[in-house]
Amino acid sequence: MGKKLGAFRAWYLVALSCIGSFLFAYDTGVVGGVLSLASFQHDFRVTQANQSSVGSNATSLLQAGAFFSCFFVWPFTARFGRRWSIALASLIFSIGAIIQVINTHSLAAFYVARVISGVGVGMATVIIPMYSAEMAPKHIRGQLGSMFQFFFTLGVMTSYWVDYGVSEHLGPTTRQWQIPIGLQLVPGGILGLGMLLTKESTRWLAKSGRTEEALQSLIWVRGGDDAEVQEEFAEILAGIREEERVTEGLTWKECLLPVNRYRFVVVITLQIGVQLTGNTSLAYYAPQIFRAVGAGDQSLLISGFFGVVKVVSCLFFLLFLVEKIGRRGSLLGGAFLMGTYMLIIACLTATHPPVAGQSLTSTGAAAVAMVYLEAMSYNISWGPVPWLYMSEIFPSRIREAGVAVGTATQWLFNFVFSQITPHAVNNIGWRTFLMFCIFNWALVVYAWLFIKETKGRSLEEMETLFGSSETAVDVEKVHEQIHDNTDHTMEEKR
């Protein structure tokens, strides 16, 4: 009963926190459709002349707010913990969403609201992977960590269908654009209020010296107190003590230790790699991409099913693959498959260029199928794994810094590629897909050389994996001490 209860609580806790990932995706995806609605353009006096700049600004300002919030939330969560940081992120996001949904007739007010929402979203994307990794049992940490990407795909899919629904079934009134934006407040409220009913991160409490609370948090999330839980807790405390012993008196200088420099380089390059796959660009500009490969006037509907495909593939990875093929294997296989599909798309669109106004052709259908397969490959590899990997490889003393730097890198290059992609598709056409093919195959080499397998290891065992002999914890010795203490206690009771 204890293990089943613990598994349920772990899944529930991570699913609740990953609503922040849903918000990130929904807010990013829904705004593109909202800005194209005649009702929004009328209320905010968007003209043909400034339409493209409004769309670019709405996306860029969210990303800017998210980027800078990564550095603000790092010291905040180190001092106040994960729960309150996520609750604050939810509150800030909701304030931005409320301002967005008010018909102010002012683009300036809308832009300010986008920045505010971006701050909330950026904070959530730093803390959620960290919180999930710190609370998850090691044997299902991969599955729970992959839920961040699963909820992201769910948010993207929902935004596609909400945009499609209001454009098809509501007239061009203010309500038409307010509904898609206002719906964000529902998951935003659930996230904030839900955090008040969960436990604080065990490892953050232990690191903060609140040992008894840390133990109670671990007992709650594991569903009971037994020898296994005591061993895990002793391992956590031993890891923190070793870090403190070796790095006593150091602060930010810990980040410059050779083994930690390597980890920072890995998370930065890994998040750049996510953008190099081309999939984020596909998500932002799905209708435009589908028109470019010959989907004709059905591009918006095809974009909706594009979202469904991503949800299904990520769910399949989460349930059946992540703990079998591991982190390294999925990155290697995913990059190779995505490169292959991008090459096929480039060949199809180069030899059979789409014609404006033409309905979906057989070549267009084949290219659309390749885009779908590429998205499926991404969501069983470079979609979920970098968030999971980034949150599990750092020692507890610098985990906030490591995840913040990795997430900031994601937002920065997310911005760069969101600016580049529409121009690339318009100016170099099919060569855009050839470019992403080359990037993906380069990522195969990168993953082979630099990614270490972390499947099945506790967070404390990462020190040994990355060759940090000074702070490595002798896990076997810790377990033996726990058994010795248990035996000694039982003898005294006799």
Short mmCIF file of all heavy atoms in Angstrom, two decimals, residues 332 440-450:
data_model
loop_
_atom_site.label_atom_id
_atom_site.label_comp_id
_atom_site.label_asym_id
_atom_site.label_seq_id
_atom_site.Cartn_x
_atom_site.Cartn_y
_atom_site.Cartn_z
N LEU A 332 20.15 10.43 -29.08
CA LEU A 332 20.83 9.95 -30.28
C LEU A 332 19.84 9.56 -31.37
O LEU A 332 19.92 10.02 -32.52
CB LEU A 332 21.72 8.75 -29.93
CG LEU A 332 23.01 9.02 -29.16
CD1 LEU A 332 23.60 7.73 -28.62
CD2 LEU A 332 24.03 9.71 -30.07
N ASN A 440 20.41 18.66 -37.05
CA ASN A 440 20.01 17.45 -36.31
C ASN A 440 21.08 16.38 -36.36
O ASN A 440 21.37 15.73 -35.34
CB ASN A 440 18.68 16.92 -36.85
CG ASN A 440 17.48 17.60 -36.23
OD1 ASN A 440 17.21 17.41 -35.05
ND2 ASN A 440 16.78 18.39 -37.00
N TRP A 441 21.66 16.17 -37.53
CA TRP A 441 22.70 15.14 -37.62
C TRP A 441 23.96 15.55 -36.85
O TRP A 441 24.68 14.69 -36.34
CB TRP A 441 23.00 14.83 -39.09
CG TRP A 441 21.93 13.95 -39.70
CD1 TRP A 441 20.95 13.28 -39.02
CD2 TRP A 441 21.72 13.66 -41.07
NE1 TRP A 441 20.14 12.58 -39.88
CE2 TRP A 441 20.59 12.79 -41.16
CE3 TRP A 441 22.35 14.04 -42.25
CZ2 TRP A 441 20.10 12.30 -42.36
CZ3 TRP A 441 21.87 13.54 -43.46
CH2 TRP A 441 20.76 12.69 -43.51
N ALA A 442 24.22 16.85 -36.76
CA ALA A 442 25.34 17.32 -35.92
C ALA A 442 25.05 17.01 -34.44
O ALA A 442 25.96 16.70 -33.66
CB ALA A 442 25.55 18.81 -36.12
N LEU A 443 23.76 17.07 -34.06
CA LEU A 443 23.38 16.78 -32.67
C LEU A 443 23.58 15.30 -32.31
O LEU A 443 23.76 14.98 -31.13
CB LEU A 443 21.92 17.17 -32.43
CG LEU A 443 21.64 18.69 -32.41
CD1 LEU A 443 20.14 18.96 -32.32
CD2 LEU A 443 22.38 19.35 -31.24
N VAL A 444 23.55 14.43 -33.29
CA VAL A 444 23.85 13.01 -33.04
C VAL A 444 25.28 12.88 -32.52
O VAL A 444 25.55 12.19 -31.52
CB VAL A 444 23.67 12.16 -34.32
CG1 VAL A 444 24.11 10.72 -34.08
CG2 VAL A 444 22.21 12.19 -34.78
N VAL A 445 26.21 13.55 -33.19
CA VAL A 445 27.62 13.53 -32.79
C VAL A 445 27.77 14.14 -31.40
O VAL A 445 28.49 13.61 -30.54
CB VAL A 445 28.48 14.29 -33.82
CG1 VAL A 445 29.95 14.30 -33.39
CG2 VAL A 445 28.33 13.68 -35.20
N TYR A 446 27.08 15.26 -31.17
CA TYR A 446 27.16 15.95 -29.87
C TYR A 446 26.69 15.01 -28.75
O TYR A 446 27.37 14.89 -27.72
CB TYR A 446 26.28 17.20 -29.91
CG TYR A 446 25.95 17.76 -28.55
CD1 TYR A 446 26.87 18.55 -27.86
CD2 TYR A 446 24.72 17.48 -27.94
CE1 TYR A 446 26.58 19.04 -26.59
CE2 TYR A 446 24.42 17.97 -26.67
CZ TYR A 446 25.35 18.74 -26.00
OH TYR A 446 25.06 19.21 -24.74
N ALA A 447 25.54 14.37 -28.93
CA ALA A 447 25.00 13.50 -27.88
C ALA A 447 25.93 12.32 -27.61
O ALA A 447 26.11 11.90 -26.47
CB ALA A 447 23.60 13.01 -28.28
N TRP A 448 26.52 11.78 -28.66
CA TRP A 448 27.43 10.64 -28.52
C TRP A 448 28.66 11.02 -27.69
O TRP A 448 29.13 10.25 -26.84
CB TRP A 448 27.87 10.16 -29.90
CG TRP A 448 28.81 8.98 -29.86
CD1 TRP A 448 30.17 9.01 -29.90
CD2 TRP A 448 28.45 7.61 -29.72
NE1 TRP A 448 30.70 7.75 -29.82
CE2 TRP A 448 29.66 6.86 -29.70
CE3 TRP A 448 27.25 6.92 -29.63
CZ2 TRP A 448 29.69 5.48 -29.59
CZ3 TRP A 448 27.27 5.54 -29.51
CH2 TRP A 448 28.47 4.83 -29.49
N LEU A 449 29.17 12.23 -27.89
CA LEU A 449 30.42 12.64 -27.25
C LEU A 449 30.23 13.19 -25.83
O LEU A 449 31.09 13.01 -24.97
CB LEU A 449 31.12 13.70 -28.11
CG LEU A 449 31.64 13.24 -29.47
CD1 LEU A 449 32.21 14.43 -30.24
CD2 LEU A 449 32.68 12.15 -29.33
N PHE A 450 29.11 13.87 -25.56
CA PHE A 450 29.03 14.66 -24.34
C PHE A 450 27.95 14.25 -23.33
O PHE A 450 27.99 14.67 -22.18
CB PHE A 450 28.82 16.14 -24.69
CG PHE A 450 29.96 16.73 -25.47
CD1 PHE A 450 29.82 17.01 -26.82
CD2 PHE A 450 31.18 16.99 -24.87
CE1 PHE A 450 30.86 17.55 -27.55
CE2 PHE A 450 32.24 17.53 -25.59
CZ PHE A 450 32.08 17.80 -26.94
#
